[in-house]
mmCIF file of all heavy atoms in Angstrom:
data_model
loop_
_atom_site.group_PDB
_atom_site.id
_atom_site.type_symbol
_atom_site.label_atom_id
_atom_site.label_comp_id
_atom_site.label_asym_id
_atom_site.label_seq_id
_atom_site.Cartn_x
_atom_site.Cartn_y
_atom_site.Cartn_z
ATOM 1 N N THR A 207 0.491 -12.523 -1.162
ATOM 2 C CA THR A 207 1.072 -11.411 -0.404
ATOM 3 C C THR A 207 0.994 -11.693 1.098
ATOM 4 O O THR A 207 0.080 -12.320 1.588
ATOM 5 C CB THR A 207 0.376 -10.084 -0.717
ATOM 6 O OG1 THR A 207 -1.042 -10.217 -0.486
ATOM 7 C CG2 THR A 207 0.644 -9.674 -2.180
ATOM 8 N N SER A 208 1.978 -11.176 1.819
ATOM 9 C CA SER A 208 2.049 -11.413 3.235
ATOM 10 C C SER A 208 0.999 -10.544 3.982
ATOM 11 O O SER A 208 0.430 -9.631 3.383
ATOM 12 C CB SER A 208 3.438 -11.046 3.788
ATOM 13 O OG SER A 208 3.712 -9.661 3.582
ATOM 14 N N LYS A 209 0.752 -10.868 5.249
ATOM 15 C CA LYS A 209 -0.161 -10.091 6.076
ATOM 16 C C LYS A 209 0.595 -9.571 7.265
ATOM 17 O O LYS A 209 0.736 -10.273 8.271
ATOM 18 C CB LYS A 209 -1.351 -10.957 6.489
ATOM 19 C CG LYS A 209 -2.303 -11.293 5.367
ATOM 20 C CD LYS A 209 -3.598 -11.906 5.932
ATOM 21 C CE LYS A 209 -4.635 -12.093 4.799
ATOM 22 N NZ LYS A 209 -5.916 -12.615 5.305
ATOM 23 N N PRO A 210 1.118 -8.335 7.187
ATOM 24 C CA PRO A 210 1.856 -7.767 8.317
ATOM 25 C C PRO A 210 1.008 -7.770 9.584
ATOM 26 O O PRO A 210 -0.197 -7.471 9.526
ATOM 27 C CB PRO A 210 2.201 -6.355 7.854
ATOM 28 C CG PRO A 210 2.043 -6.388 6.376
ATOM 29 C CD PRO A 210 1.004 -7.412 6.084
ATOM 30 N N VAL A 212 -0.814 -6.332 12.592
ATOM 31 C CA VAL A 212 -1.342 -5.010 12.967
ATOM 32 C C VAL A 212 -2.301 -5.186 14.136
ATOM 33 O O VAL A 212 -3.192 -6.017 14.117
ATOM 34 C CB VAL A 212 -2.068 -4.352 11.804
ATOM 35 C CG1 VAL A 212 -2.737 -3.052 12.266
ATOM 36 C CG2 VAL A 212 -1.117 -4.074 10.628
ATOM 37 N N LEU A 251 -8.870 4.511 5.582
ATOM 38 C CA LEU A 251 -8.856 3.409 4.580
ATOM 39 C C LEU A 251 -10.205 2.747 4.574
ATOM 40 O O LEU A 251 -10.700 2.254 5.599
ATOM 41 C CB LEU A 251 -7.772 2.400 4.912
ATOM 42 C CG LEU A 251 -6.316 2.936 4.918
ATOM 43 C CD1 LEU A 251 -5.379 1.839 5.435
ATOM 44 C CD2 LEU A 251 -5.921 3.448 3.603
ATOM 45 N N GLU A 261 -7.837 -7.318 5.388
ATOM 46 C CA GLU A 261 -7.376 -7.639 4.028
ATOM 47 C C GLU A 261 -5.900 -7.321 3.929
ATOM 48 O O GLU A 261 -5.394 -6.381 4.509
ATOM 49 C CB GLU A 261 -8.150 -6.802 3.019
ATOM 50 C CG GLU A 261 -9.668 -6.998 3.035
ATOM 51 C CD GLU A 261 -10.074 -8.455 2.716
ATOM 52 O OE1 GLU A 261 -9.415 -9.074 1.902
ATOM 53 O OE2 GLU A 261 -11.028 -8.919 3.329
ATOM 54 N N SER A 262 -5.172 -8.165 3.163
ATOM 55 C CA SER A 262 -3.742 -8.003 3.088
ATOM 56 C C SER A 262 -3.339 -6.642 2.523
ATOM 57 O O SER A 262 -2.367 -6.026 2.993
ATOM 58 C CB SER A 262 -3.129 -9.111 2.190
ATOM 59 O OG SER A 262 -3.641 -9.065 0.866
ATOM 60 N N TYR A 263 -4.073 -6.126 1.534
ATOM 61 C CA TYR A 263 -3.713 -4.801 1.010
ATOM 62 C C TYR A 263 -3.913 -3.708 1.984
ATOM 63 O O TYR A 263 -3.225 -2.698 2.033
ATOM 64 C CB TYR A 263 -4.408 -4.543 -0.333
ATOM 65 C CG TYR A 263 -5.922 -4.353 -0.249
ATOM 66 C CD1 TYR A 263 -6.464 -3.073 -0.144
ATOM 67 C CD2 TYR A 263 -6.788 -5.430 -0.324
ATOM 68 C CE1 TYR A 263 -7.837 -2.865 -0.083
ATOM 69 C CE2 TYR A 263 -8.179 -5.251 -0.313
ATOM 70 C CZ TYR A 263 -8.662 -3.978 -0.200
ATOM 71 O OH TYR A 263 -10.048 -3.788 -0.164
ATOM 72 N N ILE A 264 -4.945 -3.829 2.867
ATOM 73 C CA ILE A 264 -5.177 -2.835 3.917
ATOM 74 C C ILE A 264 -4.069 -2.901 4.946
ATOM 75 O O ILE A 264 -3.540 -1.875 5.387
ATOM 76 C CB ILE A 264 -6.548 -3.080 4.593
ATOM 77 C CG1 ILE A 264 -7.675 -2.808 3.585
ATOM 78 C CG2 ILE A 264 -6.680 -2.201 5.828
ATOM 79 C CD1 ILE A 264 -7.868 -1.366 3.240
ATOM 80 N N LEU A 265 -3.673 -4.129 5.318
ATOM 81 C CA LEU A 265 -2.604 -4.275 6.333
ATOM 82 C C LEU A 265 -1.292 -3.712 5.782
ATOM 83 O O LEU A 265 -0.513 -3.117 6.550
ATOM 84 C CB LEU A 265 -2.413 -5.786 6.661
ATOM 85 C CG LEU A 265 -3.636 -6.453 7.357
ATOM 86 C CD1 LEU A 265 -3.394 -7.916 7.528
ATOM 87 C CD2 LEU A 265 -3.877 -5.784 8.702
ATOM 88 N N HIS A 266 -1.016 -3.871 4.496
ATOM 89 C CA HIS A 266 0.228 -3.319 3.928
ATOM 90 C C HIS A 266 0.182 -1.822 3.960
ATOM 91 O O HIS A 266 1.184 -1.142 4.224
ATOM 92 C CB HIS A 266 0.407 -3.842 2.521
ATOM 93 C CG HIS A 266 1.076 -5.167 2.442
ATOM 94 N ND1 HIS A 266 2.470 -5.294 2.411
ATOM 95 C CD2 HIS A 266 0.596 -6.391 2.395
ATOM 96 C CE1 HIS A 266 2.777 -6.581 2.345
ATOM 97 N NE2 HIS A 266 1.661 -7.291 2.346
ATOM 98 N N MET A 267 -0.999 -1.250 3.695
ATOM 99 C CA MET A 267 -1.114 0.241 3.751
ATOM 100 C C MET A 267 -0.936 0.760 5.154
ATOM 101 O O MET A 267 -0.303 1.814 5.396
ATOM 102 C CB MET A 267 -2.486 0.688 3.194
ATOM 103 C CG MET A 267 -2.610 0.475 1.681
ATOM 104 S SD MET A 267 -4.225 0.985 1.073
ATOM 105 C CE MET A 267 -4.053 0.594 -0.675
ATOM 106 N N ILE A 268 -1.468 0.034 6.154
ATOM 107 C CA ILE A 268 -1.272 0.396 7.553
ATOM 108 C C ILE A 268 0.206 0.330 7.894
ATOM 109 O O ILE A 268 0.785 1.246 8.542
ATOM 110 C CB ILE A 268 -2.065 -0.557 8.472
ATOM 111 C CG1 ILE A 268 -3.546 -0.389 8.266
ATOM 112 C CG2 ILE A 268 -1.648 -0.302 9.937
ATOM 113 C CD1 ILE A 268 -4.133 0.874 8.757
ATOM 114 N N HIS A 269 0.868 -0.726 7.445
ATOM 115 C CA HIS A 269 2.306 -0.882 7.736
ATOM 116 C C HIS A 269 3.143 0.219 7.099
ATOM 117 O O HIS A 269 4.051 0.752 7.741
ATOM 118 C CB HIS A 269 2.778 -2.252 7.187
ATOM 119 C CG HIS A 269 4.212 -2.546 7.440
ATOM 120 N ND1 HIS A 269 4.731 -2.720 8.720
ATOM 121 C CD2 HIS A 269 5.275 -2.693 6.592
ATOM 122 C CE1 HIS A 269 5.996 -2.987 8.669
ATOM 123 N NE2 HIS A 269 6.356 -2.956 7.403
ATOM 124 N N LEU A 270 2.801 0.622 5.886
ATOM 125 C CA LEU A 270 3.531 1.686 5.213
ATOM 126 C C LEU A 270 3.253 3.038 5.913
ATOM 127 O O LEU A 270 4.158 3.861 6.031
ATOM 128 C CB LEU A 270 3.060 1.759 3.723
ATOM 129 C CG LEU A 270 3.521 0.607 2.848
ATOM 130 C CD1 LEU A 270 2.854 0.659 1.489
ATOM 131 C CD2 LEU A 270 5.041 0.562 2.686
ATOM 132 N N SER A 271 2.024 3.233 6.376
ATOM 133 C CA SER A 271 1.678 4.446 7.099
ATOM 134 C C SER A 271 2.490 4.532 8.409
ATOM 135 O O SER A 271 2.905 5.589 8.831
ATOM 136 C CB SER A 271 0.211 4.516 7.398
ATOM 137 O OG SER A 271 -0.553 4.461 6.199
ATOM 138 N N GLU A 272 2.646 3.361 9.036
ATOM 139 C CA GLU A 272 3.450 3.342 10.274
ATOM 140 C C GLU A 272 4.907 3.766 9.982
ATOM 141 O O GLU A 272 5.496 4.510 10.786
ATOM 142 C CB GLU A 272 3.411 1.927 10.859
ATOM 143 C CG GLU A 272 4.218 1.786 12.140
ATOM 144 C CD GLU A 272 4.210 0.374 12.646
ATOM 145 O OE1 GLU A 272 3.905 -0.558 11.864
ATOM 146 O OE2 GLU A 272 4.573 0.156 13.830
ATOM 147 N N ARG A 439 5.682 -11.088 -2.513
ATOM 148 C CA ARG A 439 5.080 -11.355 -1.220
ATOM 149 C C ARG A 439 4.998 -10.090 -0.336
ATOM 150 O O ARG A 439 4.066 -9.900 0.419
ATOM 151 C CB ARG A 439 5.851 -12.436 -0.495
ATOM 152 C CG ARG A 439 5.257 -12.858 0.834
ATOM 153 C CD ARG A 439 5.644 -14.221 1.309
ATOM 154 N NE ARG A 439 5.152 -14.531 2.622
ATOM 155 C CZ ARG A 439 3.896 -14.864 2.896
ATOM 156 N NH1 ARG A 439 3.034 -14.926 1.883
ATOM 157 N NH2 ARG A 439 3.493 -15.146 4.101
ATOM 158 N N GLN A 440 6.024 -9.251 -0.426
ATOM 159 C CA GLN A 440 6.138 -8.145 0.554
ATOM 160 C C GLN A 440 5.535 -6.819 0.066
ATOM 161 O O GLN A 440 5.063 -6.039 0.833
ATOM 162 C CB GLN A 440 7.611 -7.934 0.888
ATOM 163 C CG GLN A 440 8.281 -9.100 1.573
ATOM 164 C CD GLN A 440 7.589 -9.509 2.848
ATOM 165 O OE1 GLN A 440 7.108 -8.659 3.595
ATOM 166 N NE2 GLN A 440 7.544 -10.803 3.116
ATOM 167 N N SER A 441 5.542 -6.589 -1.262
ATOM 168 C CA SER A 441 5.125 -5.298 -1.721
ATOM 169 C C SER A 441 4.546 -5.399 -3.100
ATOM 170 O O SER A 441 4.900 -6.285 -3.868
ATOM 171 C CB SER A 441 6.276 -4.277 -1.694
ATOM 172 O OG SER A 441 5.866 -3.027 -2.201
ATOM 173 N N THR A 442 3.655 -4.472 -3.497
ATOM 174 C CA THR A 442 3.079 -4.442 -4.789
ATOM 175 C C THR A 442 3.251 -3.013 -5.370
ATOM 176 O O THR A 442 3.598 -2.090 -4.643
ATOM 177 C CB THR A 442 1.581 -4.779 -4.774
ATOM 178 O OG1 THR A 442 0.876 -3.713 -4.102
ATOM 179 C CG2 THR A 442 1.327 -6.098 -4.114
ATOM 180 N N ASP A 445 1.117 -0.639 -3.485
ATOM 181 C CA ASP A 445 1.689 -0.182 -2.216
ATOM 182 C C ASP A 445 2.632 0.965 -2.435
ATOM 183 O O ASP A 445 2.617 1.921 -1.619
ATOM 184 C CB ASP A 445 2.439 -1.353 -1.550
ATOM 185 C CG ASP A 445 1.518 -2.516 -1.150
ATOM 186 O OD1 ASP A 445 0.328 -2.248 -0.914
ATOM 187 O OD2 ASP A 445 2.022 -3.656 -1.094
ATOM 188 N N PHE A 448 0.672 4.109 -3.178
ATOM 189 C CA PHE A 448 0.077 4.601 -1.952
ATOM 190 C C PHE A 448 1.063 5.358 -1.094
ATOM 191 O O PHE A 448 0.834 6.448 -0.620
ATOM 192 C CB PHE A 448 -0.526 3.442 -1.217
ATOM 193 C CG PHE A 448 -0.990 3.762 0.195
ATOM 194 C CD1 PHE A 448 -2.196 4.422 0.431
ATOM 195 C CD2 PHE A 448 -0.167 3.440 1.292
ATOM 196 C CE1 PHE A 448 -2.573 4.715 1.725
ATOM 197 C CE2 PHE A 448 -0.559 3.746 2.575
ATOM 198 C CZ PHE A 448 -1.767 4.390 2.810
#
Side-chain angles (χ1 to χ4, degrees):
T207 54
S208 62
K209 289 191 174 183
V212 173
L251 300 174
E261 302 298 324
S262 61
Y263 67 94
I264 294 291
L265 295 175
H266 276 272
M267 290 180 181
I268 295 290
H269 181 66
L270 292 171
S271 302
E272 180 184 16
R439 183 158 176 77
Q440 298 302 324
S441 179
T442 68
D445 295 333
F448 169 80

